[in-house]
Amino acid sequence: EYLYNLRKKYNETNGAEGAFVVVNNNSFGWDNTRPEELRMGVELCEMYDIMGEVGILSVGAGPNNDVDVELVGDTPTNCTSNFFIGVTSTDENDEKARDGGFGEVSIDIGAPGENIRATDTGQDYGTFSGTSFATPHVTGALGLMYALPCEQLADDAKSNPKQTASFLKNVLLIATDP
């Protein structure tokens, strides 16, 4: 709701207040569970639609198991919002990672998620794997798309935030390898 409120205020004040939030990362989830089986699952899915109405895309991590999420369930990737992108992890060969979930409808894209170097606890770095490390790559790519030096895109993001979010989601998915 916080992100929604910031973007809504930004839209209503033509950028004088609020924040130009365009995408959020959801590196969490409930494996083997459909949204309707969770107390807040349906509301979570509805929130992705509500945020999309003001121009915010949501990107979410699939399970770290080699399972078909259409059969076993997964939240949030089973959310059907047009403003949600479900992510699995890929390996160094650009193939689905051994422990990445899949689903013809719910998993939209794969991103690097094996042996990702990142900050560790304390003041160190480590190497990590999983969909929670793949999802930020997609979130970041969408943020960078909004930062393109294109005046028409910037104008559209302000005047038609919902349509621009949908457009950029489609561009991202069409421009990637199947």
Side-chain angles (χ1 to χ4, degrees):
E1 291 177 15
Y2 178 70
L3 298 177
Y4 168 83
N5 289 333
L6 284 174
R7 179 62 189 266
K8 185 172 188 258
K9 183 169 263 193
Y10 179 91
N11 293 348
E12 292 170 348
T13 64
N14 197 28
E17 296 179 45
F20 187 53
V21 179
V22 296
V23 62
N24 71 88
N25 186 79
N26 299 260
S27 286
F28 63 84
W30 295 268
D31 295 349
N32 305 316
T33 305
R34 299 183 189 290
E36 60 272 11
E37 298 169 351
L38 293 170
R39 196 177 92 196
M40 64 170 198
V42 173
E43 290 85 2
L44 177 67
C45 295
E46 289 172 352
M47 191 61 174
Y48 296 137
D49 284 330
I50 292 167
M51 288 193 298
E53 290 293 322
V54 296
I56 302 173
L57 292 169
S58 298
V59 183
N64 290 312
N65 300 306
D66 186 26
V67 295
D68 184 339
V69 299
E70 313 305 345
L71 298 177
V72 303
D74 184 68
T75 303
T77 58
N78 286 143
C79 291
T80 58
S81 173
N82 290 327
F83 301 97
F84 181 82
I85 300 170
V87 180
T88 193
S89 60
T90 60
D91 61 20
E92 59 275 356
N93 297 313
D94 200 25
E95 299 291 329
K96 185 185 79 62
R98 180 180 66 251
D99 292 332
F102 60 94
E104 189 173 330
V105 175
S106 299
I107 302 293
D108 299 299
I109 194 169
E114 290 287 309
N115 301 315
I116 303 300
R117 189 153 170 79
T119 55
D120 199 352
T121 55
Q123 297 179 2
D124 204 0
Y125 293 92
T127 303
F128 305 92
S129 296
T131 57
S132 290
F133 294 94
T135 303
H137 286 91
V138 177
T139 304
L142 286 161
L144 288 172
M145 290 169 73
Y146 272 94
L148 288 170
C150 175
E151 199 169 313
Q152 183 64 52
L153 178 62
D155 290 345
D156 288 347
K158 285 185 177 180
S159 63
N160 297 304
K162 175 183 174 182
Q163 293 83 352
T164 303
S166 182
F167 171 75
L168 287 179
K169 173 188 175 182
N170 290 329
V171 167
L172 175 77
L173 297 179
I174 290 169
T176 56
D177 297 334

